[in-house]
């Protein structure tokens, strides 16, 4: 008696985690307990702002910039703080008391409030960044209230990487007013700078970025951009030097050839004169 044979059971292929597990688009970057925890854009964009913030009317040692640093603002509530995505203060030492890196920025010790703040919108902080939230009873004031009414920061900027919308606010009469951008930039006369958007590649990412420009609208280069320009200029200078050397060599070769032709002509003339003398003819 024979029994039918069956093929052995096939093992199921292992699941690819890239296909079976959530991606970064499925998992939020913000901690629900602390909305606004940064994604990589919140690292790269403030860095570009820092690298290009070079106000010509301020000594570099009297300029302080920071990103994602606690900003303590109320002497009566010393634990209350905000955490701007990027801010700059001028007229304050770059180092704390000229000797140490800051752990936070405490306005009642620094005695200088930030002059400009930039907030990068994220789903968890958008309403507060745009002044849509209302202070709750017994809780600290909102971010907008702190910047506008307590610290009275002259310039406040909001930028969304999701919509590429760039909004500027200027403190006028104790309240923020929407400022009009010219060619995508806002001039800040007190700093002799303008802040605006720029489409280009930074950190291998081509998109719309915020960066600082001169008052005239010329782009201020980051260190890596300056190095690239310097390298390109060096290469161009070397190429120009090589081309000049090649032209000089060619000119020398032409002069040598001309001298050789002149020498040959002189030798022919001398031979001809000698022959004429042999024949009794005065070559002159």
């Amino acid at each position: 008696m024979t029994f039918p044979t069956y093929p052995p059971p096939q093992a199921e292929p292992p699941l690819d985690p890239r296909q079976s597990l959530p991606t970064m688009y499925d998992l939020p970057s913000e901690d629900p307990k602390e909305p606004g925890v940064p994604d990589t854009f919140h690292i790269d964009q403030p860095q570009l702002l820092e690298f290009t913030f070079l106000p010509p009317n301020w000594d570099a040692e009297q300029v302080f910039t920071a990103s994602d640093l606690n900003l303590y603002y109320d002497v009566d509530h010393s634990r209350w703080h905000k955490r701007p995505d990027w801010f700059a203060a001028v007229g304050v030492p770059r180092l704390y008391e000229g000797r140490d890196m800051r752990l936070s920025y405490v306005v009642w010790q620094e005695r200088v409030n930030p002059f400009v703040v930039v907030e990068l919108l994220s789903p968890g902080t958008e309403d507060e960044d745009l002044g849509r939230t209302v202070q709750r009873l017994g809780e600290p004031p909102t971010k907008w209230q702190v910047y506008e009414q307590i610290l009275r920061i002259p310039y406040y900027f909001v930028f969304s990487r999701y919509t590429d919308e760039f909004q500027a606010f200027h403190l006028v009469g104790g309240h923020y007013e929407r400022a009009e951008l010219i060619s995508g930039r806002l001039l800040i006369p007190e700093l002799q700078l303008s802040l605006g958007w720029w489409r280009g590649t930074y950190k291998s990412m081509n998109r719309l970025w915020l960066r600082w420009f001169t008052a005239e609208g010329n782009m201020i280069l980051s260190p890596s951009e300056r190095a690239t320009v310097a390298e390109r200029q060096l290469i161009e200078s070397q190429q120009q030097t090589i081309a000049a050397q090649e032209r000089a060599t060619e000119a020398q070769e032409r002069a040598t050839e001309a001298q050789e032709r002149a020498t040959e002509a002189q030798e022919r003339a001398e031979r001809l004169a000698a022959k004429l003398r042999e024949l009794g003819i005065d070559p002159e």
Side-chain angles (χ1 to χ4, degrees):
M1 182 177 183
T2 60
F3 297 93
T5 59
Y6 300 96
Q10 298 293 322
E12 294 185 3
L15 294 177
D16 182 357
R18 292 176 58 87
Q19 302 296 328
S20 61
L21 296 180
T23 70
M24 75 171 189
Y25 299 106
D26 305 312
L27 300 172
S29 61
E30 285 89 8
D31 182 344
K33 298 180 181 179
E34 186 179 352
V37 172
D39 51 14
T40 55
F41 179 74
H42 281 68
I43 298 172
D44 296 337
Q45 174 61 92
Q47 187 182 73
L48 182 58
L49 290 172
E50 176 190 359
F51 286 160
T52 58
F53 185 73
L54 302 172
N57 55 336
W58 285 97
D59 186 291
E61 293 302 316
Q62 290 296 310
V63 173
F64 174 71
T65 66
S67 59
D68 205 30
L69 186 74
N70 283 2
L71 173 62
Y72 292 90
Y73 57 87
D74 193 328
V75 66
D76 295 321
H77 301 85
S78 60
R79 297 290 182 178
W80 285 3
H81 67 277
K82 299 302 177 186
R83 202 176 181 91
D85 288 321
W86 187 87
F87 71 90
V90 293
V92 64
R94 184 175 63 84
L95 296 177
Y96 178 68
E97 295 185 343
R99 59 180 173 81
D100 197 6
M101 292 182 290
R102 286 178 174 82
L103 303 175
S104 59
Y105 194 90
V106 184
V107 296
W108 58 85
Q109 288 188 327
E110 304 287 356
R111 300 181 181 274
V112 176
N113 291 351
F115 195 81
V116 58
V117 167
V118 176
E119 291 289 358
L120 308 174
L121 293 187
S122 61
T125 64
E126 180 174 349
D127 287 340
E128 185 174 9
D129 290 340
L130 294 174
R132 298 170 183 163
T133 56
V134 178
Q135 181 182 7
R136 297 180 180 178
L137 184 63
E139 293 191 0
T142 66
K143 186 182 296 183
W144 188 279
Q145 288 175 303
V146 171
Y147 296 165
E148 179 189 61
Q149 301 171 20
I150 298 176
L151 295 179
R152 300 178 63 82
I153 297 172
Y155 294 92
Y156 175 45
F157 298 91
V158 179
F159 180 58
S160 171
R161 81 176 183 93
Y162 303 101
T163 63
D164 287 339
E165 184 179 10
F166 175 43
Q167 302 178 61
F169 301 91
H170 184 204
L171 192 68
V172 179
H175 298 283
Y176 279 136
E177 291 186 3
R178 183 78 174 264
E180 181 181 357
L181 303 176
I182 299 177
S183 299
R185 300 187 303 274
L186 180 70
L187 174 65
I188 303 180
E190 300 91 333
L191 300 175
Q192 297 182 16
L193 294 175
S194 56
L195 180 64
W197 54 262
W198 164 77
R199 181 168 294 280
T201 301
Y202 181 71
K203 291 294 189 72
S204 303
M205 183 68 178
N206 187 282
R207 58 157 290 110
L208 205 66
W209 299 92
L210 286 187
R211 66 184 303 153
W212 290 95
F213 298 78
T214 66
E216 297 75 24
N218 298 318
M219 191 169 66
I220 298 175
L221 301 182
S222 68
S224 61
E225 290 168 333
R226 290 197 294 271
T228 299
V229 170
E231 182 181 3
R232 183 168 60 246
Q233 291 175 342
L234 177 60
I235 293 174
E236 291 175 354
S237 176
Q238 291 173 338
Q239 291 174 340
Q240 291 172 357
T241 300
I242 293 172
Q245 291 173 343
E246 290 176 347
R247 289 194 297 270
T249 300
E250 291 174 356
Q252 181 63 41
E253 290 175 350
R254 289 194 297 270
T256 301
E257 291 174 357
Q259 182 63 40
E260 291 175 350
R261 288 194 297 270
T263 300
E264 291 176 358
Q266 179 65 28
E267 291 175 349
R268 286 196 301 270
E270 291 175 354
R271 289 194 298 270
L272 178 60
K275 189 68 173 177
L276 291 173
R277 291 189 189 98
E278 291 176 1
L279 298 175
I281 301 173
D282 185 357
E284 299 299 329

